[in-house]
Amino acid sequence: MGNLDGIIQGFITFFNPSVGIYAIIGFIIGAFFGAVPGLTSVLAIALLLPMTYSMDIVSSLVMCMGIYMAGIYSGSITATTINIPGAPSAMMTAIEGNQLMKRGLGAKALGHAAFASMIGGTIGTLLLIMVSPYSVKLALMVKTPGKFSLILFALIVIILIQRKSIAKGAIATFLGIMFATIGIDTMKPLARFTFGFDILVQGIDMMSVIIGTFAISELLIQSGEIEKKLEISKDVLSKIRRKDFIPTLEEIKSIGLWRYFKSSLIGFFTGVLPGAGGSMAAFISYAEAMRSSKNPEEYGTGSLEGIAAAETANNAMCGGAIVPMLTFGIPGDATTAVLLGVLVINGLQPGPQLMTKQFHLIAPMFAALLVSALVILPITFYLLAPYFIKIVSINRGILYASIATVAIVGSFVSTFSVFQMAITLIFGVIAYFLRKQNYPTVTLLLGFILGPMLEDYFRRGLSLGHGSPLIFFTSPDSLFFLVLTVIFYYFLMIKKPMIMKEDLVQKKAK
Amino acid sequence: MLNLKKKLNISHLFCVILFIWNTLYVIEAFRIAPPIQKGQVSATFFPLIISFLMYITIALVFFTSYNQKNVTATSFGQMNKPALVVLVTIFYITLFKIIGYMASSILYIFAIISIFEIKKKNILIKLFYAVIIAVIIYILYEKIFLIRLPKLGGNM
């Protein structure tokens, strides 16, 4: 099946109401989780993960796409209204949006954020559709030693991108790799690292790690911060009127179509980078917009251009992050890491085979991402935005009691094992302490997912090279990724571009 | 001595825990097999490389935080409520298969609402919420997604 035919077929499948409805459900769930500070689209997909067992895989993926797109965009709602980003990727939006809110232009800021998200999400998805056939061809060229070097490259970049603490990022990644080694060896029928407990022979279920790391740890963090109750005043609500949301043509022209397109490109390619995610996409785009702006003095005082740059990029990132996840099994950010879990748990193995022989399962996902950005986002925003901002005042006891129960029961239904429930709790506690000590938990999950692949290709590579590690330097594809790793190291660690100077730009904006 | 005590914080304690875990991991690796057997890498070769790198990074974090002037320390008092959540979750997991989903979940939700509440609410109101949430989640899993949950006595 040609790629275009596959995409058209994907859209036909998506527009079947029994499938398309999941995108709307997912979008509303994602918007809810994105709008509540502390809750994220990652958590939403993690909680829904056990339910995907009994769902059709196409519907599951379509729903996840709705959550993904909505979760990124709706973080701008509380970022603007109460200066607390609902999602980390809305941090730059908070700087400009809240200034506009204080001037009584909150609805205008929200409208521009939604419009920019729509543009970014659409361009990012179109790029995903265009790039994916080439990325499959590229993936087919990479052999075993090259796959090792590619995953090594991904893990090193993921660690280097942890700007505030690279060493802590490395520790979390190593912990993830270590936990993944518990159970049966990847190449021989040998139980490893069971520490004398027979029950550990079955290994640690990915679902338990995902739910524990993202849901239980969040529950524990929030329980320690109960006094920080968020209320939204009636005064704020009265300032939000639906008719003020729509951006005028003049405002869009003043921002410039090139700005939207450039931010989309920045977002997309940042998304392709392993571990970068929406926050970095928004930040780089915002910094670039400020650098090249005709009115840089407006930044930090309520710049619509700044909102447009950040929101376009973080939604364009969604398409970019999916490319390495589908073709190489390397997630671009936390949400795609959990999404990878959805694929694996449902028996799909990312790689060129998935993108060619099982493309009929993936194409509706692309359609869902595009329709979510282009149609569902503006409609949902226009209809529900005034209600979404009230979500902040939700009863946290009821909210977190529901999340806790869904999370724990969810970890049970994956294996019908109380042991995996306990593992979920243990991972929740580990992730809680890691977060309290500023260790990134996303790298823990990525280490857990990529660790077994890294070891597998490492040992297979050595086997192909008759025990000599030189094969990783003589194989052209492997050498390419090793050189790429050195180049990234140079640019991220030695040259230190603007992405490493986030605090500096934030201070400047303030 | 007092100066040293001041400089040591929970971040160091965390490094020590990671160090102990890493050491146990290394011991377990050597218990399974030596890293190289018959001239070929064994099942413990790769994990031992990771452990070696782990030691280096733990040392790096330990000494970096030792030299940091403004280390935000987390007091154990801040962990009271998270510890309580962990405790009730342990009880929930223990009771889950024994008394079944519905009864254990109602108790669990009630406990979590109580931990999270700021203003004291009537017990009956909290119980009402607990029952409603447990029923909604039951419907979600059992009726919509057709996933069986344990009944009283552990039957599925």
Side-chain angles (χ1 to χ4, degrees):
Chain A
M1 192 192 290
N3 191 60
L4 188 63
D5 291 344
I7 293 289
I8 293 168
Q9 202 58 46
F11 273 91
I12 293 169
T13 308
F14 175 78
F15 284 114
N16 179 340
S18 65
V19 176
I21 187 77
Y22 283 99
I24 298 170
I25 295 170
F27 199 90
I28 292 169
I29 294 171
F32 173 80
F33 275 73
V36 177
L39 305 188
T40 57
S41 55
V42 185
L43 176 60
I45 300 177
L47 290 174
L48 285 168
L49 198 56
M51 295 166 201
T52 63
Y53 271 118
S54 57
M55 279 171 70
D56 171 46
I57 181 67
V58 172
S59 305
S60 302
L61 293 173
V62 161
M63 186 160 73
C64 289
M65 289 302 102
I67 295 173
Y68 194 17
M69 192 57 79
I72 296 283
Y73 120 83
S74 63
S76 65
I77 296 173
T78 47
T80 301
T81 51
I82 54 169
N83 203 20
I84 296 173
S89 56
M91 202 167 63
M92 309 317 290
T93 312
I95 294 171
E96 304 299 340
N98 194 249
Q99 289 294 330
L100 288 167
M101 186 76 201
K102 284 175 184 166
R103 283 158 44 192
L105 296 168
K108 185 68 73 190
L110 288 170
H112 274 276
F115 181 74
S117 298
M118 182 185 88
I119 300 285
T122 305
I123 295 176
T125 311
L126 289 174
L127 285 171
L128 164 70
I129 292 168
M130 285 191 287
V131 163
S132 60
Y134 300 102
S135 64
V136 170
K137 282 179 188 165
L138 188 73
L140 284 167
M141 288 161 68
V142 183
K143 307 291 178 218
T144 303
K147 283 177 183 167
F148 164 77
S149 300
L150 170 64
I151 295 168
L152 186 70
F153 159 74
L155 283 172
I156 290 175
V157 173
I158 288 162
I159 292 167
L160 293 181
I161 277 173
Q162 307 306 317
R163 303 176 297 282
K164 284 173 187 162
S165 180
I166 289 168
K168 286 183 175 179
I171 288 178
T173 310
F174 297 148
L175 268 181
I177 296 174
M178 285 171 155
F179 291 135
T181 59
I182 294 171
I184 300 294
D185 177 33
T186 51
M187 291 181 78
K188 291 175 186 167
L190 170 75
R192 296 189 298 178
F193 302 102
T194 57
F195 298 92
F197 297 101
D198 291 343
I199 201 157
L200 284 175
V201 174
Q202 60 180 278
I204 293 170
D205 194 50
M206 192 195 287
M207 184 109 73
S208 303
V209 179
I210 292 172
I211 296 175
T213 307
F214 293 106
I216 301 299
S217 75
E218 188 59 42
L219 175 74
L220 299 177
I221 294 270
Q222 294 297 332
S223 68
E225 294 175 355
I226 294 168
E227 66 278 9
K228 291 181 190 171
K229 194 189 175 192
L230 299 170
E231 290 272 3
I232 196 155
S233 68
K234 283 180 183 168
D235 184 41
V236 167
L237 292 175
S238 66
K239 286 176 185 169
I240 305 291
R241 286 172 303 186
R242 199 170 275 133
K243 65 175 182 178
D244 299 330
F245 287 140
I246 303 165
T248 64
L249 201 62
E250 274 179 16
E251 287 163 351
I252 294 169
K253 273 185 182 171
S254 74
I255 292 166
L257 292 178
W258 171 240
R259 172 77 58 218
Y260 288 106
F261 188 66
K262 192 162 131 186
S263 299
S264 299
L265 290 180
I266 292 173
F268 181 82
F269 287 106
T270 310
V272 174
L273 205 64
S279 318
M280 185 169 285
F283 169 73
I284 297 174
S285 175
Y286 178 87
E288 169 53 25
M290 186 160 70
R291 188 197 65 78
S292 58
S293 175
K294 287 176 191 165
N295 309 304
E297 71 284 353
E298 283 182 9
Y299 281 73
T301 60
S303 163
L304 288 176
E305 194 179 65
I307 293 174
E311 287 297 315
T312 306
N314 64 24
N315 278 78
M317 178 276 309
C318 297
I322 289 172
V323 176
M325 190 273 282
L326 286 179
T327 45
F328 295 104
I330 297 171
D333 70 340
T335 314
T336 42
V338 182
L339 207 59
L340 181 68
V342 176
L343 289 174
V344 173
I345 283 165
N346 285 283
L348 296 178
Q349 199 56 47
Q353 298 286 329
L354 176 69
M355 294 295 284
T356 49
K357 292 183 179 166
Q358 292 170 308
F359 193 64
H360 62 285
L361 301 175
I362 300 301
M365 184 174 134
F366 291 178
L369 203 60
L370 188 68
V371 176
S372 293
L374 196 60
V375 183
I376 307 174
L377 193 155
I379 293 174
T380 316
F381 173 75
Y382 186 73
L383 294 177
L384 302 176
Y387 306 104
F388 277 143
I389 59 171
K390 291 182 187 173
I391 288 169
V392 174
S393 309
I394 201 166
N395 184 311
R396 282 152 57 86
I398 293 171
L399 178 69
Y400 284 103
S402 310
I403 288 173
T405 315
V406 170
I408 296 289
V409 175
S411 64
F412 171 79
V413 301
S414 62
T415 52
F416 293 101
S417 151
V418 172
F419 170 69
Q420 291 298 345
M421 291 169 93
I423 291 287
T424 303
L425 178 63
I426 291 168
F427 267 88
V429 174
I430 292 170
Y432 168 77
F433 281 110
L434 287 174
R435 289 174 65 178
K436 277 283 177 189
Q437 294 302 313
N438 300 319
Y439 288 76
T441 47
V442 175
T443 60
L444 173 88
L445 180 65
L446 293 175
F448 186 85
I449 292 172
L450 298 177
M453 290 159 71
L454 184 73
E455 183 182 6
D456 194 31
Y457 292 128
F458 173 70
R459 286 165 70 181
R460 282 179 200 276
L462 280 182
S463 183
L464 285 171
H466 304 289
S468 169
L470 280 176
I471 192 166
F472 298 112
F473 299 95
T474 53
S475 171
D477 51 345
S478 174
L479 189 64
F480 170 77
F481 288 113
L482 291 178
V483 171
L484 203 63
T485 310
V486 174
I487 292 170
F488 267 74
Y489 181 83
Y490 173 76
F491 279 109
L492 292 173
M493 295 301 294
I494 298 168
K495 202 157 183 251
K496 291 198 177 180
M498 60 187 176
I499 58 165
M500 309 297 282
K501 298 169 187 166
E502 188 169 330
D503 295 340
L504 200 75
V505 176
Q506 274 184 37
K507 272 179 200 163
K508 200 179 167 190
K510 277 172 187 170
Chain B
M1 186 68 188
L2 194 71
N3 210 13
L4 183 74
K5 256 188 177 178
K6 270 185 184 174
K7 282 194 169 185
L8 292 174
N9 53 46
I10 202 159
S11 174
H12 296 112
L13 179 69
F14 198 67
C15 285
V16 171
I17 293 168
L18 287 170
F19 179 86
I20 294 169
W21 152 256
N22 200 32
T23 307
L24 289 174
Y25 189 84
V26 170
I27 293 167
E28 180 71 4
F30 279 108
R31 202 186 59 80
I32 300 163
I36 295 175
Q37 277 180 320
K38 296 171 191 169
Q40 288 209 322
V41 297
S42 76
T44 59
F45 183 82
F46 180 81
L48 282 169
I49 293 176
I50 299 297
S51 287
F52 173 71
L53 295 171
M54 185 81 158
Y55 275 126
I56 296 172
T57 43
I58 290 171
L60 211 64
V61 171
F62 187 90
F63 291 110
T64 313
S65 52
Y66 184 81
N67 291 326
Q68 268 174 0
K69 283 177 184 169
N70 300 317
V71 179
T72 45
T74 311
S75 74
F76 289 100
Q78 286 174 286
M79 293 181 199
N80 284 347
K81 290 213 167 178
L84 210 56
V85 171
V86 172
L87 200 68
V88 295
T89 308
I90 292 170
F91 278 117
Y92 180 46
I93 293 170
T94 313
L95 293 175
F96 191 69
K97 264 199 159 177
I98 301 167
I99 63 170
Y101 162 79
M102 194 54 80
S104 62
S105 296
I106 290 171
L107 290 173
Y108 182 59
I109 296 164
F110 178 82
I112 296 287
I113 291 176
S114 304
I115 293 169
F116 270 86
E117 76 175 353
I118 298 168
K119 293 171 192 165
K120 291 274 172 219
K121 273 200 190 101
N122 189 319
I123 288 177
L124 282 176
I125 292 174
K126 282 190 276 185
L127 204 59
F128 171 75
Y129 282 133
V131 172
I132 294 290
I133 295 169
V135 169
I136 290 171
I137 295 172
Y138 177 82
I139 292 169
L140 189 71
Y141 277 111
E142 283 255 358
K143 304 294 171 194
I144 298 175
F145 291 106
L146 305 172
I147 298 168
R148 308 291 293 167
L149 294 172
K151 308 276 183 295
L152 188 67
N155 299 321
M156 295 288 282

